[in-house]
Amino acid sequence: LRHFSPIGFWGLVNNAGISTFGETGWLSMEKYEKFADVNLLGSIRTTLAFLPLLRKYKGRIVFMSSIIAYFSLGNGIYSMTKAAIEKFCDALRLEMNKFGVRVCIIQPGNYARSTKIQPPVSAEEIWNELSEEEKAVYNKEYIQERANFFNRILSEGSTNGNEVVDAMVDALTSPAPKARYMVAKLKEKALVFVCALFPTVVMDSVLSYSLSK
């Protein structure tokens, strides 16, 4: 309140996020709780704290989601939190409309090289953290293949992080902001289109093919 400008409190950007790689059984319950706390509950806590001011000044709330909210390629724990953010925003957007508060979602594609949100994956570290039960199911060769696949995805990430920032700025300043800003390559948008509109069996086939390459 001490740092308010004459226009009051205008915009809140929920940008905090962490990412990791691993199939479902490879990750501990503690890691699931940490990701939910940072990626989902952190945004909710901050939003609730500032909601009275945002309603008072008819401001903007911007959430950082991801196209990964629509599908997963080895980082289901991240996808889970982003999908939850999307649903939280959908409810919040409808509720805030009557107060003149706009809620916007940014959905970046692969910008791993810009944000460094995900360091390169080490197959050895993954193997060492697996439980004995998981080691009995998987072998080191499989872990290495998955790690190589995910590291290749990371290496293909865009370095033009300013594209995402531009979308955030537009969401905060435009007289008519979009509900969703998808900032992604054409092939990434096409994959989202398939996942959102085609039957699940088609989506699973496309993703299974991608994982096998």
Side-chain angles (χ1 to χ4, degrees):
L1 293 173
R2 288 196 305 269
H3 293 280
F4 266 8
S5 70
I7 63 170
F9 190 85
W10 172 254
L12 170 65
V13 179
N14 286 301
N15 182 59
I18 53 177
S19 179
T20 193
F21 165 81
E23 298 192 5
T24 303
W26 300 357
L27 307 172
S28 66
M29 191 61 215
E30 290 74 19
K31 187 158 287 189
Y32 277 99
E33 291 172 347
K34 178 180 179 180
F35 271 73
D37 190 51
V38 174
N39 292 3
L40 174 61
L41 299 181
S43 293
I44 295 175
R45 276 193 295 267
T46 308
T47 300
L48 293 178
F50 288 101
L51 209 53
L53 291 171
L54 289 160
R55 284 194 297 249
K56 178 179 179 180
Y57 293 103
K58 303 183 186 303
R60 306 278 173 87
I61 315 177
V62 180
F63 290 84
M64 187 59 62
S65 180
S66 171
I67 63 169
I68 294 297
Y70 294 92
F71 59 88
S72 175
L73 285 172
N75 55 347
I77 190 171
Y78 185 69
S79 299
M80 171 193 76
T81 59
K82 293 305 181 181
I85 278 289
E86 293 267 347
K87 293 303 107 182
F88 176 74
C89 291
D90 284 344
L92 185 66
R93 185 178 62 255
L94 293 174
E95 295 165 3
M96 290 298 104
N97 189 52
K98 58 181 171 287
F99 299 108
V101 177
R102 307 299 293 269
V103 178
C104 305
I105 302 172
I106 312 296
Q107 299 173 315
N110 182 2
Y111 284 87
R113 292 171 64 197
S114 300
T115 64
K116 303 295 191 296
I117 190 173
Q118 171 68 60
V121 173
S122 166
E124 190 66 26
E125 289 181 8
I126 294 172
W127 178 258
N128 291 337
E129 292 179 1
L130 292 184
S131 66
E132 293 304 316
E133 290 84 358
E134 294 300 309
K135 287 181 178 179
V137 175
Y138 298 95
N139 55 48
K140 287 187 175 181
E141 289 74 17
Y142 179 84
I143 303 292
Q144 188 65 63
E145 287 176 1
R146 294 298 88 207
N148 291 344
F149 168 81
F150 199 66
N151 285 334
R152 187 169 69 252
I153 291 179
L154 294 178
S155 70
E156 294 172 354
S158 173
T159 58
N160 298 322
N162 59 289
E163 297 169 346
V164 181
V165 176
D166 289 345
M168 296 165 69
V169 171
D170 190 81
L172 287 169
T173 62
S174 171
K178 301 176 184 178
R180 283 178 167 83
Y181 292 79
M182 186 173 293
V183 191
K185 299 175 183 176
L186 183 59
K187 67 177 182 180
E188 293 172 329
K189 292 180 178 179
L191 185 55
V192 169
F193 179 81
V194 170
C195 292
L197 299 181
F198 281 67
T200 301
V201 65
V202 176
M203 177 190 74
D204 287 352
S205 297
V206 171
L207 295 178
S208 295
Y209 175 79
S210 298
L211 286 167
S212 68
K213 300 298 290 182

